[in-house]
Amino acid sequence: MLTRVRRQLETAYERHLRRTITGAPTHVAVIQDGNRRYATKQGEDAPDGHRAGAKTTERVLDWCDDLGVEELTLYAFSTENFERPEHEREALFDLLEDKLYEFADAERVHDSGVCIRVIGDVPQLPSRVREAIEYAERRTHDYEAFVLNIALAYGGRNELLGAARDVARAVESGDLNPTDISVETIEERLYGRPLRDVDLIIRTGGDERTSNFLPWHANGNEAAVFFCTPYWPEFSKIDFLRAVRTYESREQSFRQAKVQRALALVRAVGGVELDEARSVLRKFKEYVPDGASVDELEVDGETVD
């Protein structure tokens, strides 16, 4: 009885959250933490936790489709994970290999136009995993509706270090002038195909750190971050919607801050006429919070109407 009531409450809360969300981040990145701890809690082995986590990943793809997210990046295997016991690494490599082939052949992937890409130091991975990566990327290369990035053998510092070395070699060889180095110069050396800037990072498992994940695309874009306690296999749609709501709240705060800066700029101009104030404020109209009107804002105590 209590279980049924709880499900009903969760369903109602999920519907409430969905109604409060008016948009969605374009690019969501997820640190899937807690698979092994989940397995321990269930009295199972680490591979069982990773298999349970893979089911969550499939559900998250559906939730992204529901909200209109266009790109999802999953932190599946870091460079530090190579230090895990061999039997655990091999079981994880087996799972990654199976899932890459499964995703590459899935009708839902092709029907939805999902492009699968792997980022990270791929040459470090076993040959069987590299072959699965090549198969999945080749099968979905031409799709553009949705991008699924899987970070394998990934480390943020290594990523930036590799790009910096490529730039240094290009300068040394005379192929690149130092004055021509730009954001695009770095980005084109990070991956074969560009990633969108990250809007939202989600980390499960209780740790409140981003573990050097996508430093160029997330930190550089001041991505919103959502930490939650459920282990990855326990991550629910309610958790996902709460994360998206956090992103929207952060974006609204940014818009409000821009309006306040605009007002401060107008007030700082001595003797400004109200007509001029209206003109300046209307340039910031797109940043006014929902429900507010530029024409109703006040300048030095007077309503600009």
Side-chain angles (χ1 to χ4, degrees):
M1 177 67 179
L2 289 176
T3 301
R4 183 165 63 86
V5 171
R6 181 177 179 179
R7 286 202 196 99
Q8 290 174 338
L9 290 173
E10 289 176 346
T11 300
Y13 183 46
E14 180 184 311
R15 289 173 180 167
H16 166 71
L17 286 172
R18 184 64 184 88
R19 285 194 297 268
T20 64
I21 293 173
T22 58
T26 300
H27 185 180
V28 175
V30 182
I31 302 172
Q32 309 164 97
D33 198 11
N35 289 318
R36 291 189 298 170
R37 284 176 286 163
Y38 172 81
T40 300
K41 188 175 77 169
Q42 301 297 317
E44 301 173 336
D45 295 327
D48 298 310
H50 291 302
R51 282 190 287 271
K55 295 178 181 178
T56 301
T57 299
E58 295 179 19
R59 291 193 291 269
V60 171
L61 288 171
D62 292 332
W63 304 338
C64 286
D65 182 59
D66 175 49
L67 289 181
V69 175
E70 297 178 20
E71 188 159 353
L72 174 68
T73 300
L74 302 172
Y75 203 173
F77 191 89
S78 71
T79 51
E80 289 78 12
N81 290 154
F82 283 107
E83 299 174 4
R84 291 183 178 181
E86 182 178 0
H87 72 278
E88 188 176 323
R89 290 199 315 268
E90 292 303 312
L92 187 50
F93 290 146
D94 288 342
L95 178 61
L96 290 169
E97 178 186 0
D98 290 343
K99 286 300 178 182
L100 283 165
Y101 281 118
E102 179 184 321
F103 273 41
D105 290 333
E107 288 186 9
R108 56 175 289 186
V109 167
H110 297 282
D111 291 343
S112 301
V114 178
C115 176
I116 300 173
R117 300 188 303 190
V118 172
I119 61 175
D121 193 357
V122 174
Q124 285 196 60
L125 296 167
S127 59
R128 68 182 191 279
V129 178
R130 297 199 304 270
E131 290 170 3
I133 290 170
E134 192 279 331
Y135 179 80
E137 291 185 333
R138 175 168 45 83
R139 287 271 286 152
T140 64
H141 180 271
D142 296 329
Y143 296 143
E144 297 180 348
F146 183 85
V147 178
L148 172 61
N149 303 306
I150 305 172
L152 299 177
Y154 177 86
R157 288 183 177 179
N158 289 342
E159 174 184 72
L160 295 180
L161 181 60
R165 285 172 172 165
D166 285 346
V167 169
R169 283 192 289 265
V171 170
E172 185 179 18
S173 66
D175 295 331
L176 180 64
N177 190 315
T179 59
D180 294 332
I181 297 175
S182 63
V183 170
E184 290 74 20
T185 304
I186 302 298
E187 289 185 342
E188 68 187 13
R189 285 167 168 77
L190 289 174
Y191 311 112
R193 297 172 68 178
L195 268 68
R196 296 177 177 89
D197 285 339
V198 176
D199 301 304
L200 170 65
I201 290 181
I202 300 171
R203 179 169 189 149
T204 62
D207 282 344
E208 296 187 0
R209 52 195 174 91
T210 58
S211 295
N212 201 26
F213 186 35
L214 297 173
W216 181 271
H217 296 87
N219 296 343
N221 193 43
E222 297 185 358
V225 182
F226 180 79
F227 299 113
C228 60
T229 56
Y231 300 139
W232 178 242
E234 299 170 323
F235 187 70
S236 69
K237 189 171 184 178
I238 286 177
D239 298 316
F240 184 71
L241 293 173
R242 289 175 61 216
V244 173
R245 188 176 62 178
T246 296
Y247 158 78
E248 285 201 326
S249 297
R250 205 286 301 266
E251 289 299 297
Q252 184 178 23
S253 295
F254 274 12
R255 290 195 297 268
Q256 291 173 339
K258 288 177 180 178
V259 171
Q260 294 303 318
R261 288 197 292 269
L263 289 170
L265 175 62
V266 170
R267 294 189 181 106
V269 178
V272 66
E273 297 293 336
L274 288 182
D275 284 344
E276 295 175 354
R278 290 193 194 98
S279 176
V280 172
L281 287 173
R282 286 191 177 110
K283 291 180 181 179
F284 290 86
K285 187 174 183 179
E286 63 178 297
Y287 302 119
V288 175
D290 293 340
S293 168
V294 169
D295 293 335
E296 297 172 353
L297 296 173
E298 291 187 357
V299 179
D300 289 335
E302 297 188 55
T303 301
V304 182
D305 55 16

